[in-house]
Amino acid sequence: MTSSMQAYLASKYMSGPKADAILAKSGGKKKKRKAAGSTPTGSTLIKDEDIADWGAAPQEADDDEGVDAVVAEDRGFKKRQKKDAESGWETVREPTPPAPEDEQPQVVDEPTPFTGGLLTSAQLKKTLPKKNAQKVELTQEEIKAAQETVYRDASGRKLDMAAERAEAARRKREREEKEAAKMEWGKGLTQRDEAERRRKELEAMRAAPFARTKDDAAMNEDMKAEERWNDPAAAFLTKKRSKGLRKPEYTGPPPPPNRFGIRPGYRWDGVDRGNGFEKKFFQRQNERKRHGAESHDWSVEDM
């Protein structure tokens, strides 16, 4: 480092005998500084650690000795933030607004532990747990809506059950109407005439008196005209015969023969559930007839 640089650093940033020696060597002059007692609180302090050993140090120092100056930090700025008459600084702060009511600190009474013995009503209320939830009075419609089951479809969409019930009732009504129309068109003339006759009978009974005696002519005629399949006198007492009521008969495939010629009942399903005696009986009769015919033919063969 050149001597002019050392002289500049000594004149600007150093103090004490070492700085004076460097300035004297270079031929420059250093400005006098104020005394330590008159230095204000916020001024820069320069600490020389080699002042005690200055006399033993050689006169000619290295070129890098002038760079090792130690400069103390100015710690007076933080102190000047406080209100100080000498410094002239004053801290300006905005007034803190008061906290709202809902953020005010609340005093909570700690529950007194139950120790037993007689308690007054006030002490008992303090020991019992308090219900914070207030009872809300609900109407019947709200209670019913809360208790109603929620139905959802496959996609998770909520279903309106009232609309679904109305739609189901409409489909059921349409289905019943179609079935009634189908049954009406499927009926024959006889069923329609019978329904018309019943309707006329109901109209006549509406105009008839409440009590009917044994001398009622219309009732007696109706009872005489009624046909029964097991009536023994129907052949000579009934004036008019119709194809109405008669004993049902079997009309299926021909049944197997029997010795007495009895026909099966009209409910027979066509399955022979006998032990096979009737079949063997008729086979034996046929064999006997065949043997007789063969014997007769053999006896007259040579004639």
Side-chain angles (χ1 to χ4, degrees):
M1 183 181 291
T2 60
S3 59
S4 60
M5 180 64 68
Q6 290 182 356
Y8 176 78
L9 293 175
S11 63
K12 295 295 183 181
Y13 303 104
M14 297 177 64
S15 62
K18 188 174 182 179
D20 296 340
I22 295 173
L23 291 175
K25 183 179 179 181
S26 61
K29 295 183 179 180
K30 183 176 175 60
K31 294 181 179 180
K32 294 183 179 179
R33 295 182 178 271
K34 294 182 180 180
S38 62
T39 304
T41 307
S43 61
T44 303
L45 301 178
I46 301 175
K47 184 178 179 181
D48 192 1
E49 296 179 354
D50 299 334
I51 191 170
D53 300 333
W54 178 255
Q59 189 68 22
E60 295 181 2
D62 296 337
D63 295 341
D64 297 336
E65 290 180 357
V67 188
D68 296 342
V70 178
V71 181
E73 296 180 357
D74 186 8
R75 299 182 179 86
F77 179 74
K78 293 183 179 179
K79 296 181 180 179
R80 288 198 301 270
Q81 291 181 357
K82 299 181 180 180
K83 187 176 181 181
D84 192 357
E86 297 180 359
S87 62
W89 289 86
E90 182 178 357
T91 304
V92 179
R93 296 181 181 179
E94 296 182 359
T96 305
E101 296 182 358
D102 56 349
E103 296 182 2
Q104 292 290 341
Q106 298 181 359
V107 179
V108 180
D109 297 336
E110 296 183 359
T112 306
F114 182 75
T115 56
L118 298 177
L119 299 176
T120 62
S121 60
Q123 294 175 351
L124 185 61
K125 288 181 180 178
K126 288 183 179 180
T127 56
L128 292 177
K130 296 180 180 180
K131 296 182 179 179
N132 298 329
Q134 299 180 358
K135 294 183 178 179
V136 181
E137 296 182 358
L138 301 177
T139 60
Q140 295 293 335
E141 290 78 6
E142 294 176 351
I143 294 174
K144 186 176 181 181
Q147 294 177 353
E148 186 177 0
T149 306
V150 178
Y151 296 92
R152 300 181 183 275
D153 57 2
S155 62
R157 184 174 58 87
K158 185 177 179 182
L159 300 178
D160 189 0
M161 297 309 299
E164 293 293 332
R165 294 191 191 98
E167 183 67 18
R170 184 185 63 81
R171 290 196 297 267
K172 182 179 179 181
R173 185 169 58 254
E174 292 180 355
R175 185 171 60 254
E176 290 178 352
E177 291 177 357
K178 290 181 180 179
E179 291 179 357
K182 185 177 180 180
M183 291 178 64
E184 183 68 24
W185 284 103
K187 291 181 179 179
L189 296 177
T190 305
Q191 287 82 1
R192 294 184 183 181
D193 295 343
E194 187 68 20
E196 184 67 20
R197 186 181 62 81
R198 284 197 301 269
R199 188 184 63 80
K200 291 181 180 180
E201 287 181 358
L202 291 176
E203 292 291 338
M205 289 179 64
R206 184 180 299 177
F210 180 74
R212 300 183 69 181
T213 61
K214 62 181 179 179
D215 298 332
D216 191 352
M219 184 180 66
N220 292 334
E221 289 295 332
D222 292 341
M223 294 181 68
K224 288 180 181 179
E226 186 177 357
E227 296 181 359
R228 300 174 179 85
W229 66 272
N230 56 353
D231 188 4
F236 55 90
L237 291 180
T238 304
K239 296 181 180 179
K240 54 182 179 178
R241 294 184 59 87
S242 63
K243 297 181 179 180
L245 298 176
R246 57 178 161 179
K247 187 176 181 180
E249 296 179 356
Y250 173 75
T251 58
N258 55 74
R259 290 171 290 171
F260 308 103
I262 301 174
R263 294 179 59 82
Y266 70 96
R267 292 190 178 93
W268 185 55
D269 56 356
V271 179
D272 187 6
R273 296 177 175 84
N275 55 4
F277 177 79
E278 299 292 334
K279 183 178 181 180
K280 292 179 180 180
F281 177 78
F282 284 106
Q283 287 179 356
R284 185 62 179 171
Q285 285 186 347
N286 294 336
E287 289 178 0
R288 187 179 301 170
K289 291 180 181 180
R290 183 172 55 80
H291 289 167
E294 290 179 356
S295 299
H296 176 70
D297 294 340
W298 181 78
S299 62
V300 297
E301 184 179 359
D302 297 337
M303 296 179 66

